[in-house]
Amino acid sequence: MDGAFVKGEGTRFVVENPSDESVVAEVQGVSATQADAAIAAARRAFDDGGWSGLPMKERAVYMTRYGEALRKRTDVLRDCAVAEAGCPVSSMVMGAQVHAPLRMTDEIIDLFLRLPEHEENPLPMHERANAYFTVQSLKRWTPLGVVSAISAYNVPFYTAFWKVVPALMAGDTVILRPNPLTPISSMVFAEAADEAGLPKGVLNVIVEQGLEGGLAMTTDDRVDMVSFTGSCTVGAKVAEQTAPTLKRLVLELGGKSAQIYLPDAVGRAASAAFSVCTAHAGQGCVLGTRVFVPEENKAEVLDGMAKMLSGVKIGPASDPATQLGPVISAAQRDRCEHFTNAAVAAGGKVVCGGKRPEGLDKGYYWEPTVLDLPDNRNPAAQEEIFGPVIGVIGYRDLDHAVEMANDSKFGLSGWVHGADKVKSLEVGLKIRSGAVNVNGAVMSSYASGGGIKMSGIGRERGIEGLREFQMMTTLNIGG
C-alpha cells in the first residue's frame, strides 16, 4: 500500500489447498483502516498527476518493465495455481492460469499505443461551419481515475490481470482485492510494481477474508470504477453498492452456456463432457455446460460421454497424471451434490458420476457427472453449478435448440458445432450472448468478452475492454 509492503492489522485466516485440505499459508488480512488508507493512496497518486499525467509512451516504458517483472515469477504463479486454486499441473487450463496473461502485457501496451487519444466526431458540414462560427468536435480519451479491482478464485491471476494491467496502462490507479480463497498469486502484482519502479500509490494490493475492505472499495466516493469478476449474486450486490455514487461498472459474472450440436456434427458431442469436466473441474464461467443434441441421437451421445469419462484420472492437482482435480471448497462440492440431486428430483437421470469419488478422503472432489435432462427448465439447466457437471438436452429441430439456448437468465458465451459452416453460422447468429463460438474459439487480448442479462455489464479485453478504463470527453473547439 502506497509504495510499501505492510503487515495486515485485520483478521488472520488460512488459505487451503483444495486437493488435500492442507494449509498453503496463513494470511494476516488488512483492517478497515488499512483498506481506507489504500483507497486514499490510490486517490492521491491519481490526483497528483505523476502517473495519470504521463504521456502514453512513457507509461509504456514502465509497463514494459512491469511485464518483464511478472514473467520472472512464472514458477511462483504456476505453483499458486496448483496449490491454492487446485488447477492440475498438466491441465490445458494452466495456459489461462499463467502463460496467456504473461504474454498479454506487451499486447495490451501495443494496443493502447495504437489507439488514438483523439478522434474526430463526424459532424455534417453545416454544423462545422456557418455564418457565426466554425467548430471542430473531438473525442478525447484520458485516464478515468481510481479503479477497484476485485478478482475471482477460479483463475485468480488471469481475472486480476485483466483489471490491473489495462487500468495501469490507461493511467488509472488501482486497488486490487483478490478472492480470499486464492489471494497469494495477487502478491505478484505488488512485487512486480515494486521491481518496475511504479510510483507509490499507483497499485495497492489488499488481502482480507471478510467484506469490510471490499465494501469500502465499492462504496467510497474516492473510487471512480469497480471491475468485478465473480458470481451473479455478489455481482448484483456490487452493483447495488456502487449505485449511490454512480461509479462505472464492469461485471464479469456467471454463465450457463449452451452448446448446440447440429445433426451433421452429433458425433463430436460425446467429447463435450470430457472437455468441460476436465477444464479445471468445470470451474469456468464460459464453459458449455448445457449440451443440445437431436432428440433421436441423445441416447448415443450420453453413452459416448459416459465411456469417455470412465477412465478419467481424478486426484491432486500436483500429480502430473491428474486429469480432474478438486473444486475449490467443501461448499462448492456441496453445490455439485445439491444440483445433481435437484436434477433427479425434477425428472433428470444421472448417466455417470454424481457422487464423491472413492479413495479420496481429503480434498474437495466430485466425480465427472453427466445428467440426462428432460427439458431446459430443469434446475441443472437453469443454474450455474461451477463444477464437473454437464447436462444433455434433446431438441426437435434447430429452432427449438436456439429457443432453449436463449431461455436462460445468463448470456455470457455460446457454442455451435456443425459440419455445414453456413448453417452453423446461421444458428450462431440467433444466440443471444456476449460471445458466440462457431466451430472455434479464441482467448485473445484483441477480442473482447462480456455478458448480457445476469452475466454482467461491460467488456473485458479487446479495444472495448481497454476503453472501459478511460474517460471520454467530447471536446468542441470553436473559432
Side-chain angles (χ1 to χ4, degrees):
M1 298 191 304
D2 206 14
F5 292 95
V6 298
K7 184 177 180 179
E9 298 171 355
T11 303
R12 192 170 186 83
F13 64 98
V14 167
V15 178
E16 272 191 329
N17 184 328
S19 290
D20 58 12
E21 302 176 47
S22 63
V23 175
V24 177
E26 290 189 19
V27 178
Q28 189 77 43
V30 298
S31 64
T33 300
Q34 287 179 307
D36 180 81
I39 295 171
R43 185 76 257 172
R44 283 195 306 272
F46 182 83
D47 290 343
D48 72 16
W51 182 253
S52 57
L54 287 177
M56 190 72 75
K57 288 184 178 179
E58 292 187 27
R59 278 201 298 274
V61 174
Y62 278 99
M63 293 305 294
T64 298
R65 291 203 301 265
Y66 190 68
E68 292 168 352
L70 289 175
R71 285 189 286 272
K72 289 180 183 178
R73 291 159 172 82
T74 300
D75 291 345
V76 172
L77 290 168
R78 185 182 62 248
D79 292 345
C80 284
V82 172
E84 65 175 351
C87 182
V89 68
S90 299
S91 171
M92 290 184 65
V93 178
M94 194 59 73
Q97 295 280 9
V98 179
H99 307 296
L102 288 179
R103 68 167 166 78
M104 287 175 171
T105 309
D106 291 341
E107 296 171 354
I108 293 169
I109 294 168
D110 178 63
L111 264 171
F112 262 118
L113 290 175
R114 286 195 279 154
L115 288 178
E117 295 185 58
H118 298 88
E119 296 178 90
E120 189 170 335
N121 286 315
L123 299 185
M125 186 59 70
H126 71 273
E127 291 185 5
R128 291 178 183 274
N130 55 51
Y132 305 101
F133 60 83
T134 60
V135 67
Q136 183 178 23
S137 183
L138 304 170
K139 300 183 187 82
R140 181 178 183 236
W141 299 93
T142 55
L144 178 64
V146 176
V147 174
S148 288
I150 305 174
S151 56
Y153 70 73
N154 58 332
V155 274
F157 180 67
Y158 185 83
T159 56
F161 176 93
W162 270 103
K163 306 174 192 311
V164 171
V165 175
L168 292 177
M169 187 60 195
D172 302 327
T173 57
V174 178
I175 312 105
L176 169 64
R177 178 196 180 275
N179 189 291
L181 295 172
T182 54
I184 304 170
S185 60
S186 285
M187 292 312 301
V188 166
F189 290 104
E191 293 168 2
D194 184 60
E195 183 175 322
L198 267 59
K200 69 176 188 176
V202 167
L203 176 65
N204 307 271
V205 182
I206 64 171
V207 176
E208 64 172 354
Q209 185 180 41
L211 302 174
E212 283 187 313
L215 182 62
M217 289 167 63
T218 58
T219 58
D220 197 295
D221 59 10
R222 292 169 293 181
V223 173
D224 300 291
M225 174 183 178
V226 176
S227 179
F228 169 83
T229 301
S231 71
C232 298
T233 301
V234 179
K237 285 289 185 184
V238 168
E240 182 181 335
Q241 291 160 10
T242 62
T245 51
L246 294 179
K247 304 182 192 309
R248 182 175 296 183
L249 266 181
V250 174
L251 301 176
E252 208 274 354
L253 307 177
K256 194 69 185 179
S257 300
Q259 293 200 62
I260 297 176
Y261 284 86
L262 273 59
D264 63 12
V266 75
R268 304 184 212 166
S271 65
F274 183 90
S275 61
V276 168
C277 291
T278 61
H280 197 13
Q283 296 172 112
C285 52
V286 299
L287 294 176
T289 52
R290 290 186 297 154
V291 177
F292 296 99
V293 298
E295 188 66 59
E296 60 270 21
N297 300 113
K298 187 178 180 183
E300 67 184 80
V301 169
L302 290 169
D303 183 62
M305 287 180 170
K307 288 177 179 176
M308 290 193 74
L309 290 172
S310 62
V312 166
K313 170 69 173 173
I314 306 172
S318 57
D319 184 349
T322 292
Q323 295 172 293
L324 176 60
V327 293
I328 192 67
S329 65
Q332 199 58 36
R333 182 184 59 198
D334 291 346
R335 185 174 176 86
C336 295
E337 184 173 18
H338 167 78
F339 278 106
T340 299
N341 293 336
V344 173
K349 299 176 183 177
V350 176
V351 177
C352 65
K355 63 184 189 301
R356 300 182 189 184
E358 296 178 3
L360 291 169
D361 298 328
K362 288 287 188 178
Y364 307 121
Y365 298 97
W366 188 255
E367 288 182 343
T369 301
V370 176
L371 301 174
D372 177 355
L373 303 181
D375 54 59
N376 191 58
R377 301 310 303 167
N378 190 281
Q382 286 294 313
E383 297 295 334
E384 183 178 41
I385 301 172
F386 224 60
V389 182
I390 192 168
V392 181
I393 304 167
Y395 64 77
R396 298 186 301 272
D397 52 39
L398 288 173
D399 286 340
H400 183 217
V402 170
E403 178 187 345
M404 290 190 291
N406 290 334
D407 179 20
S408 173
K409 64 183 177 183
F410 300 103
L412 187 61
S413 189
W415 307 77
V416 180
H417 310 269
D420 185 333
K421 294 180 175 60
V422 173
K423 177 60 70 174
S424 300
L425 180 58
E426 289 175 357
V427 172
L429 292 174
K430 295 176 183 178
I431 295 177
R432 286 181 48 77
S433 181
V436 179
N437 308 286
V438 181
N439 289 321
V442 297
M443 183 174 62
S444 173
S445 302
Y446 303 91
S448 72
I452 62 170
K453 297 187 277 189
M454 289 299 292
S455 288
I457 298 170
R459 308 291 289 190
E460 286 192 330
R461 303 178 302 282
I463 291 172
E464 300 84 2
L466 301 187
R467 290 300 198 195
E468 295 279 10
F469 295 99
Q470 294 180 303
M471 180 177 74
M472 190 194 80
T473 303
T474 297
L475 186 62
N476 302 310
I477 306 170

